[in-house]
Amino acid sequence: MRTGIYLAVTAKRNRRSPASDLSRHLSSATGTTVSRQTVYRRLEHIGLYASRPVVPLTATHCRLRLTWSREHALWTTQ
């Protein structure tokens, strides 16, 4: 199976996998080593997109975001 087809099938099966995980899957399955950027470009070329890892918000982030939104709740376009 070609690497592009393998990547497409793996990405469709694991919709939330980041490109780095897909790269590791490809390496372990076929022995072909490709970078995360290559996986991202190949998926983009065929119309698929790898997910990006989400950075979890800490309690401080949440508190600061809530404070900011409360301060700006009554703002208008003017």
Side-chain angles (χ1 to χ4, degrees):
M1 185 181 286
R2 292 186 1 210
T3 57
I5 295 171
Y6 182 81
L7 280 174
V9 170
T10 306
K12 287 179 182 177
R13 285 183 185 160
N14 307 316
R15 296 296 292 175
R16 298 195 184 269
S17 293
S20 56
D21 286 353
L22 295 174
S23 175
R24 281 192 291 271
H25 284 285
L26 178 67
S27 179
S28 66
T30 64
T32 304
T33 304
V34 294
S35 69
R36 177 189 55 81
Q37 291 87 2
T38 302
V39 170
Y40 184 78
R41 282 192 304 267
R42 287 186 184 179
L43 290 177
E44 185 179 28
H45 183 71
I46 59 174
L48 296 174
Y49 300 93
S51 70
R52 296 176 186 217
V54 176
V55 178
L57 295 178
T58 63
T60 305
H61 286 119
C62 293
R63 183 177 39 78
L64 291 173
R65 286 171 60 118
L66 181 61
T67 303
W68 184 91
S69 65
R70 285 180 178 161
E71 289 173 356
H72 295 81
L74 300 177
W75 280 28
T76 63
T77 54
Q78 289 84 16

